[in-house]
Amino acid sequence: QVQLVESGGGLVQAGGSLRLSCAASGSIFSINAMGWYRQAPGKQRDLVARIGSNGNTNYADSVKGRFTISRDNAKNMVYLQMNSLNPEDTAVYYCNAHIIVGTDMNSMDYWGKGTLVTVSS
């Protein structure tokens, strides 16, 4: 069984910063891409940032220059440093990872349960 657990969400004022963390655990053989998505109330879940196993990154246009995604392969963790936050960044942030499971070598996408980020104006 594989689990993704996010942490680091909370309430912050506009212009502030937060750092989200996501830990993958369980029977993991390897992890390919990891990423962060977000879903605001009444809206669909959208990609925020993604990082490949080789470190290549891509970002949503709305967060470029403000957010930075990184990963620690030894710890099976992915991070999202969020700076210059604004109220439009308010959402539940979900961790995603494409994982090859060690028990059967099958690969699939896994999701965390999400962490709420609220940015006040």
Side-chain angles (χ1 to χ4, degrees):
Q1 193 76 354
V2 173
Q3 282 188 321
L4 299 181
V5 179
E6 303 100 335
S7 61
L11 174 65
V12 63
Q13 288 189 331
S17 298
L18 281 175
R19 187 188 193 219
L20 304 183
S21 300
C22 173
S25 63
S27 183
I28 297 172
F29 178 78
S30 65
I31 304 177
N32 295 326
M34 303 183 81
W36 291 93
Y37 290 71
R38 66 186 181 187
Q39 187 168 19
K43 296 188 176 181
Q44 67 181 21
R45 188 177 299 187
D46 291 325
L47 174 69
V48 176
R50 197 161 177 84
I51 183 167
S53 56
N54 58 4
N56 287 345
T57 59
N58 62 288
Y59 295 90
D61 287 344
S62 59
V63 306
K64 283 181 181 176
R66 300 188 298 123
F67 291 10
T68 302
I69 189 170
S70 61
R71 64 190 285 174
D72 185 331
N73 292 329
K75 296 181 179 180
N76 290 337
M77 295 195 69
V78 63
Y79 307 95
L80 187 67
Q81 178 66 44
M82 304 185 294
N83 299 329
S84 301
L85 286 160
N86 58 62
E88 290 70 37
D89 295 315
T90 295
V92 177
Y93 284 70
Y94 296 91
C95 176
N96 168 267
H98 190 78
I99 295 174
I100 299 176
V101 178
T103 54
D104 55 15
M105 303 303 284
N106 285 331
S107 65
M108 62 179 290
D109 274 339
Y110 289 86
W111 292 88
K113 294 182 178 180
T115 184
L116 177 63
V117 172
T118 304
V119 184
S120 63
S121 57

